[in-house]
Amino acid sequence: MAAAGRNPSKLAHRHKNHEPPHKDRDSTPKPAKIRSRLACADDLPAHEMMRLACDHYYCSSCTTRMFNLATCQESSYPPKCCSQISLTAAREHLDRDTRKRYEKKRIEWDTSAKKRVYCSRKNCNTFIPPDSVDRKRASCLECGRNTCLRCKAPEHQGRQCSDNEALKTTLKTLERKGWM
């Protein structure tokens, strides 16, 4: 944030492949317009950075870090500066894998917590997107298993959820402990 108050046009380029501007301006060509990165405060040419609507700049590595964090922590979703940063605005600064992971997580985070369904298979536990959910079951796109929407256990065709022994045991335990 300290970088936001500096005048980017007066900053020297600090990357190792470039030397700082010389005092003798007559013999030195003018450097490209330099912008200070908001997240890491290093300086880069403006054309190598993502410019946001709020007039802040982010380099590709900071943009990637921000989008990766948004796929790991829901509290960091969606990526933001002064306002939300769209995938469209960041696309050219993100590699294909990061974009793909973000797209997948965006569907999960944009689904209300009450409507999210995860695969009931213990070693899968993958989020099942709304378009793979029907009235009674959710079909996992990763392992192909079906999950009952009512009890969130593996699909139990022909039996009611109350016939599910594991659910019965859990409900009895909850009652016995006075939690229900």
Side-chain angles (χ1 to χ4, degrees):
M1 296 281 178
R6 296 189 287 182
N7 183 346
S9 63
K10 293 184 180 178
L11 294 173
H13 198 287
R14 288 188 245 160
H15 280 8
K16 58 186 168 190
N17 295 337
H18 300 280
E19 294 181 22
H22 298 286
K23 289 183 181 178
D24 181 9
R25 293 185 187 253
D26 297 335
S27 64
T28 307
K30 290 186 178 181
K33 191 164 189 172
I34 305 299
R35 293 287 181 189
S36 182
R37 299 189 279 186
L38 185 63
C40 59
D42 281 346
D43 302 320
L44 288 173
H47 71 275
E48 292 182 20
M49 301 174 71
M50 175 177 63
R51 180 181 180 189
L52 302 176
C54 58
D55 209 27
H56 289 139
Y57 289 80
Y58 283 85
C59 69
S60 293
S61 65
C62 289
T63 302
T64 298
R65 196 173 311 121
M66 190 174 4
F67 273 76
N68 281 334
L69 186 60
T71 66
C72 299
Q73 296 177 359
E74 190 171 3
S75 61
S76 297
Y77 175 83
K80 3 177 161 18
C81 182
C82 296
S83 62
Q84 181 176 332
I85 302 170
S86 72
L87 181 60
T88 304
R91 183 169 298 281
E92 71 182 70
H93 299 278
L94 301 171
D95 62 56
R96 185 174 181 260
D97 289 340
T98 301
R99 289 191 312 262
K100 211 171 168 183
R101 255 190 332 275
Y102 180 79
E103 278 287 348
K104 198 172 181 181
K105 255 325 186 187
R106 180 169 71 174
I107 295 168
E108 180 178 353
W109 296 153
D110 283 347
T111 302
S112 73
K114 287 183 178 183
K115 292 188 177 189
R116 290 182 197 163
V117 180
Y118 296 87
C119 181
S120 59
R121 190 168 159 226
K122 288 182 183 175
N123 52 344
C124 182
N125 200 33
T126 303
F127 171 72
I128 302 173
D131 62 352
S132 295
V133 176
D134 64 25
R135 299 182 89 208
K136 293 185 179 186
R137 68 172 179 236
S139 302
C140 181
L141 300 175
E142 292 292 318
C143 72
R145 295 275 176 98
N146 290 328
T147 297
C148 174
L149 286 182
R150 185 166 179 237
C151 66
K152 307 298 191 236
E155 182 181 39
H156 37 85
Q157 294 177 341
R159 296 185 338 207
Q160 294 293 324
C161 292
S162 60
D163 292 341
N164 182 326
E165 290 304 314
L167 179 61
K168 279 183 179 178
T169 304
T170 302
L171 292 173
K172 284 181 184 176
T173 302
L174 291 173
E175 280 184 51
R176 193 176 68 245
K177 300 249 183 201
W179 296 338
M180 211 172 112

